[in-house]
Amino acid sequence: MQQIINFVLRNKTFLVFLLLFGLSLFFTIQSHSYHKSKFINSSNMVTGSIYKVANGVGQYFNLVEQNKALLEENRMLKSIVHNFDRDTSKISFTDSLKFNSHYKFRTADVYKNSYSQTANYLTINKGKKDSIKIDYGVITSQGIVGIIENTSQNFSSVLSILNTRSRINAQLKKTNHIGSLVWNTESAEFAQLIDISKFAPVAIGDTIVTGGQSTIFPKGVLIGTVNSYKIDNGGDSYTVNVKLFNDMTNIGHVYVVENLQAAEIKSLQKPKDD
Amino acid sequence: MAARFVVLILVQVLIFNHINFMGYINPYIYILFIILFPVNNNRTLFVFLAFLLGFCVDVFSDSGGIHAAACVTLAFIRPVFLKFSFGMVYDYQSIKFSQTDFSSRLIYFSALIFIHHFIMYSLEIFNISKIILILQKTLFSSIFTILLCLIITILFSKKRK
């Protein structure tokens, strides 16, 4: 017994080192699995408030670009509204309960954005208080940004599409061939669309949008254009290099999308017990 | 010491994490805390403080535990490099980093920073088949960090004559 105590005392630095190193490895491995990075994320009180202060200063520097983006979005929406055929039965809702019943949008400011690591996250200034929940989608007017992964009272962290763990259902805009959008860590401007069937008529310049299969994003949210493509080693699917519409390195304001029918769809897809 | 701890973390997460020189090169200057920690102090406490430092940076940058792991390792193996780069002076346990000569300080900084970056990027990428990418990131970021660390230590050194 005496010897054990002596051993511990003599090697206490080494033991503390082993313990802490093991702990950090545990955190690292946990952060590699989806929905398990509960302990360490920047959506907590302390980091959130510090980023809030920093953002209070920093957001003034790209006001011009943010204004341009808003103006561009307004122009697009206006052109939709004014070119819409003025059949009021289509755009007014007699039953107000049905209005706004599929997707709900909330605005949020980005407090922290990263794009140089292999696992990138954003922190936004809306949280549980604003009824933001895990698995809501995050988009801008130009394209998709990511998926909510953790929430606290006032802040949420967003799993960016520039993350090796991100996997988003996407498709060609002109046909319904679906694939998964992943990221190979090489550039913040490009993401990769994998598992597109070799029968799909892929051409350079084609638009890629989100598919209707996920309950997170609405169908048809813009992602990017085909920059190059090659057939897989197996020979039965394409890997497409997608140039993103969004400049992921400069994101100021985002929309959080809630699919109000997600629970219903999920309960349908769940295998029956009997 | 406490002030240096807080200031280095804040400067790291608010400024240096967002430099992204050439797309991905970020300097990690917060490890100056570990590099310049007084030598003749309690080693167990030092390892623990290093963990805390890395952990704080991890929380801010959503990176799991990669900084914590690299910092703990760095704190643990630091004596080896102190002995290697400063030799005689270290045996008397009385190093003042501002009074050491430049070349041995450069070796000491480079070795520690390189090891820290290598561990950090290995854990971040977590894929042995991408060893080239790990080494590339390690090399470029290390050079950036070493330069900045040297500049910072020169700028903030107290002149005692």
Side-chain angles (χ1 to χ4, degrees), chain B residues 51-121:
Chain B
F51 174 76
L52 215 60
L53 177 81
F55 184 78
C56 289
V57 175
D58 272 327
V59 171
F60 273 100
S61 41
D62 289 296
S63 47
I66 60 173
H67 291 285
C71 284
V72 169
T73 319
L74 203 60
F76 186 70
I77 60 170
R78 193 179 74 146
V80 180
F81 288 94
L82 279 170
K83 197 162 194 128
F84 172 71
S85 8
F86 298 116
M88 282 299 284
V89 195
Y90 174 61
D91 292 338
Y92 297 110
Q93 299 266 313
S94 58
I95 300 178
K96 288 273 190 306
F97 287 103
S98 48
Q99 289 165 10
T100 52
D101 57 327
F102 184 77
S103 59
S104 49
R105 196 161 16 135
L106 179 67
I107 293 173
Y108 171 65
F109 274 38
S110 313
L112 285 189
I113 288 171
F114 197 79
I115 286 173
H116 171 271
H117 284 33
F118 182 70
I119 296 171
M120 198 189 70
Y121 282 122

Side-chain angles (χ1 to χ4, degrees), chain A residues 42 51 112 115-118, chain B residues 20 60 62 72-73 124 137:
Chain A
S42 61
Y51 277 132
K112 176 226 144 196
Y115 46 88
S116 60
Q117 297 168 329
T118 55
Chain B
N20 296 313
F60 273 100
D62 289 296
V72 169
T73 319
E124 186 197 321
K137 280 193 162 193

Side-chain angles (χ1 to χ4, degrees), chain A:
Chain A
M1 194 61 204
Q2 187 71 34
Q3 279 187 332
I4 296 174
I5 294 172
N6 273 341
F7 174 80
V8 169
L9 283 180
R10 239 182 309 124
N11 291 308
K12 66 175 189 296
T13 311
F14 182 64
L15 291 175
V16 166
F17 162 71
L18 272 190
L19 179 79
L20 294 177
F21 190 75
L23 195 65
S24 17
L25 272 187
F26 170 74
F27 285 143
T28 309
I29 290 164
Q30 194 139 60
S31 78
H32 280 266
S33 55
Y34 188 55
H35 278 185
K36 279 194 180 152
S37 47
K38 290 268 184 251
F39 302 112
I40 308 185
N41 60 73
S42 61
S43 69
N44 62 54
M45 263 312 283
V46 182
T47 55
S49 355
I50 290 175
Y51 277 132
K52 185 178 181 178
V53 173
N55 187 61
V57 180
Q59 67 174 337
Y60 291 101
F61 290 109
N62 58 358
L63 271 185
V64 176
E65 280 149 66
Q66 297 301 338
N67 274 341
K68 269 186 197 152
L70 277 180
L71 211 61
E72 182 61 21
E73 188 186 7
N74 272 341
R75 183 195 64 77
M76 200 187 69
L77 292 176
K78 274 216 161 34
S79 70
I80 291 173
V81 167
H82 293 295
N83 291 322
F84 204 78
D85 51 345
R86 299 291 176 93
D87 186 355
T88 44
S89 66
K90 280 189 187 164
I91 46 173
S92 68
F93 290 84
T94 41
D95 183 357
S96 61
L97 277 176
K98 279 191 180 148
F99 177 70
N100 219 355
S101 65
H102 196 169
Y103 293 104
K104 201 165 177 181
F105 290 82
R106 297 178 177 84
T107 59
D109 286 355
V110 173
Y111 276 178
K112 176 226 144 196
N113 181 16
S114 75
Y115 46 88
S116 60
Q117 297 168 329
T118 55
N120 293 300
Y121 293 87
L122 297 90
T123 307
I124 59 172
N125 70 341
K126 294 280 167 76
K128 283 188 193 130
K129 240 186 201 167
D130 312 277
S131 28
I132 304 269
K133 295 202 182 75
I134 286 168
D135 273 348
Y136 285 5
V138 179
I139 61 174
T140 68
S141 54
Q142 281 130 32
I144 60 171
V145 173
I147 298 170
I148 302 273
E149 172 150 300
N150 273 298
T151 55
S152 69
Q153 275 313 313
N154 298 301
F155 307 100
S156 311
S157 64
V158 180
L159 180 80
S160 165
I161 51 170
L162 302 184
N163 189 316
T164 44
R165 289 202 287 120
S166 160
R167 217 181 155 84
I168 287 167
N169 179 262
Q171 66 171 60
L172 291 175
K173 193 179 180 188
K174 60 180 180 185
T175 64
N176 277 331
H177 292 94
I178 54 157
S180 303
L181 191 76
V182 295
W183 189 52
N184 67 2
T185 74
E186 271 165 25
S187 161
E189 282 176 58
F190 296 99
Q192 283 68 39
L193 185 63
I194 57 168
D195 297 339
I196 283 268
S197 148
K198 69 171 174 184
F199 302 112
V202 183
I204 288 174
D206 277 1
T207 307
I208 306 288
V209 296
T210 54
Q213 292 202 340
S214 85
T215 52
I216 297 173
F217 294 103
K219 186 175 177 171
V221 176
L222 296 174
I223 296 176
T225 55
V226 176
N227 188 64
S228 65
Y229 62 95
K230 64 171 197 294
I231 200 120
D232 265 353
N233 292 334
D236 50 4
S237 62
Y238 285 119
T239 296
V240 179
N241 205 19
V242 182
K243 182 159 175 37
L244 300 169
F245 286 127
N246 250 336
D247 180 2
M248 291 298 289
T249 62
N250 180 18
I251 292 175
H253 303 275
V254 294
Y255 301 103
V256 181
V257 190
E258 176 184 2
N259 185 347
L260 296 166
Q261 297 170 350
E264 199 180 329
I265 296 171
K266 271 183 188 155
S267 72
L268 258 183
Q269 287 173 344
K270 213 186 298 172
K272 293 279 186 313
D273 286 337
D274 51 12

